[in-house]
Amino acid sequence: TMQWQRPPGKPMQPAVQPTRSAMQPLAEQPAQALAKPQAAKPEAVRAAAPDPASAAKLDAAMAALGGVWIEAGQEGVFLVRNGTCTAFSGEATKVETVGGKISMAGWKAAVQDIDRSGARWTKDGKSRVWHRPESAASVECLHGAWINSEGLGCNVKGGKCTFDGVGVEVPLKLDDCALVLNGWVAE
C-alpha cells in the first residue's frame, strides 16, 4: 500500500491510499477485481429483506453504491467499497441495510433513490445528493501537490499527475467508478 499526502506547508488533506493487489502490475490482476467495485455481502442484505424481490433490489442498490462519488457542490468525495464508505477526510462509515433501506451514519436511501449514476440520502428532514464524477479531472479535491509514502512528489491538475524531478505526466483515470493512477487503484 502506498499513501499520498499533501507536502508540508500546503493545506493538509487526508491521505489517498492507492493499492495494487500483491504489488502486481494492473495487467496481471484479474479484470473482475479491478473492473467492478465490491458490494456488501448479499447474504447480509437478504437477511434484512422481507421478500426475494426486495432482496434483489437491495442487492442491486448496494452494488450500485460501489465506487467514487461526489456530493453535490463538490462538498465531499466518497469511496464506497465492501460495505464501507470512506470520505476524502479519511473518515470511514459502515454502509448497511436497515428496514429495507440502505443506511450510513443515520443517512438513509431508499432503493429507488440509488443507481450507478446517483444517490439521494435523507436524514432528519435534510437531504444530500451524490453523483458520479464525469472524469478523474472533475474530482477537484485531488488537484494540487502530493507526496507519496516513498517521498516522491507530484502535482495533479486536469486529470494528470506530473511527478517531480522526472517530468513524467501520467493520466489519472476513472475506471468503472474507481480512481486509477498508473495501475494503482484508490482505496
Side-chain angles (χ1 to χ4, degrees), residues 1-2 18-26 28-29 150 183-184:
T1 299
M2 184 178 301
T19 62
R20 198 178 327 180
S21 299
M23 300 300 287
Q24 296 175 338
L26 185 63
E28 294 176 18
Q29 294 186 37
E150 297 175 358
W184 294 84

Side-chain angles (χ1 to χ4, degrees), residues 34-123:
L34 295 173
K36 304 248 189 246
Q38 300 294 315
K41 297 194 181 295
E43 305 83 44
V45 172
R46 281 193 192 96
D51 61 61
S54 294
K57 289 177 183 177
L58 281 170
D59 284 351
M62 288 293 279
L65 274 176
V68 178
W69 293 93
I70 297 176
E71 189 163 348
Q74 290 274 344
E75 294 176 21
V77 176
F78 306 91
L79 174 67
V80 178
R81 186 174 175 160
N82 297 325
T84 300
C85 175
T86 305
F88 190 71
S89 65
E91 179 183 351
T93 305
K94 186 176 182 178
V95 180
E96 57 193 343
T97 59
V98 176
K101 292 187 176 189
I102 296 179
S103 179
M104 176 186 64
W107 291 89
K108 295 191 181 345
V111 293
Q112 66 269 19
D113 293 334
I114 299 173
D115 62 29
R116 295 289 289 168
S117 63
R120 182 176 173 273
W121 299 89
T122 59
K123 177 180 177 179

Side-chain angles (χ1 to χ4, degrees), residues 83-166:
T84 300
C85 175
T86 305
F88 190 71
S89 65
E91 179 183 351
T93 305
K94 186 176 182 178
V95 180
E96 57 193 343
T97 59
V98 176
K101 292 187 176 189
I102 296 179
S103 179
M104 176 186 64
W107 291 89
K108 295 191 181 345
V111 293
Q112 66 269 19
D113 293 334
I114 299 173
D115 62 29
R116 295 289 289 168
S117 63
R120 182 176 173 273
W121 299 89
T122 59
K123 177 180 177 179
D124 300 329
K126 299 176 188 170
S127 68
R128 61 198 297 188
V129 176
W130 288 1
H131 65 276
R132 297 285 185 190
E134 294 177 17
S135 67
S138 68
V139 184
E140 293 176 9
C141 62
L142 294 178
H143 295 184
W146 293 90
I147 296 176
N148 72 13
S149 56
E150 297 175 358
L152 180 62
C154 75
N155 188 48
V156 176
K157 184 176 181 183
K160 295 180 180 157
C161 180
T162 305
F163 289 94
D164 298 345
V166 181

